[in-house]
């Protein structure tokens, strides 16, 4: 089950569970759309993979025991360990390669 991290690991803006500007990689690294496009160039600074829009977990339980009330989003904030300079250099090396070929 997705962790649904509460913030962008790049700029630290809040990304609530219903945020439509939240993006994740296959390891659930979470960044806002602006950072993915502007800074990362669709290259995860941690794994080198690409990003996809983060799904929105239903707030209403439509099945017994399933939904935000039963599987809440994480409240632990995560921030990238890489500097903006490191991220830009890494992205420059890999952004031209399609995510499926990285």
């Amino acid at each position: 089950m997705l962790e649904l991290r509460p913030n962008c690991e790049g700029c630290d803006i809040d990304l609530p569970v219903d945020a439509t500007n939240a993006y994740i990689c296959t390891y659930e690294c979470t960044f806002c759309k602006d950072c993915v496009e502007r800074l990362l160039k669709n290259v995860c600074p941690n794994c080198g993979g690409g990003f996809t829009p983060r799904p929105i977990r239903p707030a209403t339980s439509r099945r017994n025991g399933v939904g935000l009330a039963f599987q809440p989003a994480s409240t632990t904030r995560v921030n990238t360990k890489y500097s903006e300079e490191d991220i830009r250099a890494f992205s420059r090396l890999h952004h031209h390669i399609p995510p499926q070929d990285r």
Side-chain angles (χ1 to χ4, degrees):
M1 176 177 334
L2 292 176
E3 190 176 329
L4 300 178
R5 296 176 183 168
N7 66 303
C8 173
E9 294 179 37
C11 68
D12 201 37
I13 66 164
D14 291 339
L15 293 173
V17 295
D18 60 351
T20 58
N21 65 327
Y23 281 70
I24 60 172
C25 76
T26 189
Y27 290 97
E28 295 187 55
C29 300
T30 304
F31 291 86
C32 69
K33 182 178 182 178
D34 186 52
C35 282
V36 167
E37 292 175 351
R38 180 187 56 78
L39 175 63
L40 305 172
K41 308 291 187 213
N42 197 34
V43 178
C44 177
N46 301 310
C47 71
F51 289 94
T52 191
R54 184 180 72 186
I56 295 174
R57 187 168 297 156
T60 303
S61 296
R62 294 195 173 16
R63 296 235 182 231
N64 191 25
V66 178
L68 276 173
F70 299 95
Q71 295 89 22
S74 174
T75 58
T76 303
R77 296 181 84 81
V78 177
N79 293 292
T80 185
K81 62 183 177 182
Y82 302 105
S83 70
E84 187 170 328
E85 182 179 300
D86 289 338
I87 290 171
R88 288 187 188 283
F90 188 76
S91 295
R92 269 194 303 274
L93 291 173
H94 305 286
H95 80 276
H96 67 284
I97 305 168
Q100 65 272 21
D101 295 335
R102 287 188 197 143

